[in-house]
Amino acid sequence: MSLEVKNLSKKYGEKTVVDNLSFEMKEPGVYALLGTNGAGKTTSIRMMLGMLAHDSGEVLWKGKPLDAVSCNVGYLAEERGLYPKYSLMDQLVYFAELRNVKKSEAQKRIKYWAERFEVEEYIYPGKTSKGKTLPPKKPEQLSKGNQQKIQLISALISDPELLILDEPLSGLDPVNTDLFKSVIHEQIDKNKFLIMSSHQMPTIEEFCTDITILSKSKTVLQGNLNDIKKSYGRVNLFIKCEGDILPLVEECGIQLLNHKETEYQLKVTGDDQANILLTKMIEKKIMIVRFELREPSLHEIFVEKVGGDNEEK
């Protein structure tokens, strides 16, 4: 076992914001910490990192309390936090030195990541058409997306064993989203431990094996994502066909979720109900383009579990 969170709790006065959070990562991979805004995700992450004191519980790395000495941690915070008036190079070297990376090695890593994220022009001084050297850029001169790239570089600069990403893809355009995803996949391939918090459910499904969903400070669902989806059964039915099947849907007692032109999203009780509808469609000689029976998506499971949790904490 490499990472274990045991009964982590936090109160502000009489209000509990994290209530006995527990989970473990026995091997490298990606663990998702999910919940609506204010459910306690970021507070939990800050307690894990020692940035915020916890009222009870413990966080262990390889059986010992997790701290900067026992574990090389990289952290991309949801609230980005570069110093606006200092050069990017100075800040990245500073962050590296805080993680015991020598300046010469830090500069090599910065060069690699600057090229990887296509931000060399912002980190290294440029020249005007007349040969005058321009000063390096400061964070306040960068777009939000490029600031996010610099923040991720600062999280990766120490080549961390444990990487915590809080909303890593927030605000990125499609091109940079794919770039960030490729870097995350690289970290997974290097057998790193990653904890990810995101409101983008397809991203969680792409990367994460195990999840915890928080609602109003409490854990409402936890476990292996594939096992959770299987437990719901294949109840979502998507049909694309040439013909009106609404009378057949009603005849079979199937719930209609959405209908747009030739496409139907339905909820069935199981395989038997779906097969009855399929048989009726064939008997009516309705041309079927697509007939897909699937497990619920993480988005649908998430909404079911925390749909009423809208409090801010």
Side-chain angles (χ1 to χ4, degrees):
M1 184 184 302
S2 290
L3 177 66
E4 186 176 8
V5 177
K6 301 172 65 176
N7 304 117
L8 209 57
S9 297
K10 180 67 177 179
K11 284 186 176 181
Y12 289 113
E14 296 299 317
K15 188 172 185 178
T16 300
V17 293
V18 178
D19 191 356
N20 285 307
L21 172 65
S22 296
F23 68 88
E24 61 184 19
M25 292 183 71
K26 295 182 178 180
E27 56 187 26
V30 187
Y31 197 102
L33 196 58
L34 308 174
T36 55
N37 294 331
K41 307 182 300 299
T42 298
T43 299
S44 299
I45 289 171
R46 289 174 178 171
M47 287 192 291
M48 290 170 56
L49 292 170
M51 299 168 62
L52 186 65
H54 52 266
D55 297 328
S56 62
E58 58 183 342
V59 183
L60 304 177
W61 175 257
K62 297 180 181 178
K64 298 180 180 180
L66 174 63
D67 56 33
V69 175
S70 66
C71 180
N72 181 359
V73 183
Y75 176 41
L76 176 66
E78 180 181 10
E79 297 175 357
R80 316 307 185 208
L82 295 170
Y83 299 105
K85 301 294 183 180
Y86 292 89
S87 75
L88 298 172
M89 175 62 81
D90 287 346
Q91 292 191 58
L92 290 172
V93 170
Y94 172 70
F95 292 138
E97 289 179 339
L98 288 178
R99 303 301 302 147
N100 297 316
V101 180
K102 294 181 179 180
K103 186 174 181 178
S104 58
E105 179 60 27
Q107 290 173 333
K108 292 179 183 178
R109 295 181 184 182
I110 291 168
K111 181 176 176 55
Y112 169 79
W113 286 117
E115 293 175 353
R116 187 77 175 78
F117 283 107
E118 301 177 350
V119 290
E120 304 102 308
E121 64 180 293
Y122 306 118
I123 295 177
Y124 300 99
K127 292 183 180 294
T128 67
S129 58
K130 296 182 180 180
K132 182 180 179 181
T133 300
L134 297 172
K137 298 287 187 181
K138 298 176 182 178
E140 62 184 0
Q141 298 173 289
L142 271 60
S143 67
K144 181 179 178 180
N146 283 323
Q147 287 187 42
Q148 200 156 325
K149 292 179 181 181
I150 301 300
Q151 291 265 192
L152 185 53
I153 292 175
S154 71
L156 295 167
I157 198 71
S158 65
D159 193 20
E161 303 167 273
L162 172 63
L163 181 60
I164 299 178
L165 305 174
D166 198 352
E167 296 292 347
L169 307 180
S170 174
L172 295 177
D173 61 51
V175 172
N176 284 316
T177 294
D178 286 347
L179 177 57
F180 270 52
K181 284 183 177 182
S182 69
V183 170
I184 293 171
H185 277 298
E186 288 173 6
Q187 297 301 304
I188 296 170
D189 291 342
K190 291 180 178 179
N191 290 322
K192 302 294 183 70
F193 287 76
L194 285 84
I195 295 176
M196 184 182 296
S197 177
S198 175
H199 288 119
Q200 300 179 25
M201 296 299 115
T203 299
I204 295 300
E205 291 196 82
E206 179 179 347
F207 288 108
C208 300
T209 304
D210 298 285
I211 66 170
T212 288
I213 297 180
L214 300 175
S215 178
K216 298 178 182 178
S217 79
K218 296 179 180 293
T219 298
V220 295
L221 187 65
Q222 186 174 79
N224 178 272
L225 180 55
N226 286 332
D227 290 343
I228 290 171
K229 293 173 73 172
K230 286 179 182 177
S231 71
Y232 278 80
R234 298 193 303 166
V235 295
N236 290 349
L237 178 59
F238 179 87
I239 298 174
K240 185 173 182 179
C241 62
E242 296 179 4
D244 181 11
I245 64 169
L246 288 178
L248 299 179
V249 170
E250 185 176 352
E251 183 181 329
C252 294
I254 295 174
Q255 181 182 356
L256 175 67
L257 300 179
N258 192 25
H259 172 216
K260 180 182 177 182
E261 297 180 346
T262 61
E263 297 180 354
Y264 301 82
Q265 293 182 40
L266 311 169
K267 188 166 186 177
V268 297
T269 57
D271 291 5
D272 290 344
Q273 195 177 38
N275 288 333
I276 291 172
L277 175 60
L278 178 60
T279 299
K280 290 182 178 294
M281 291 176 66
I282 293 173
E283 289 174 351
K284 295 289 185 180
K285 297 183 178 180
I286 295 173
M287 178 64 70
I288 300 171
V289 179
R290 181 179 171 189
F291 191 96
E292 179 186 3
L293 186 62
R294 62 172 178 80
E295 298 160 349
S297 66
L298 179 56
H299 174 91
E300 292 161 335
I301 295 170
F302 181 90
V303 171
E304 175 191 314
K305 290 296 181 181
V306 302
D309 181 9
N310 294 314
E311 292 185 47
E312 289 293 329
K313 293 185 178 70

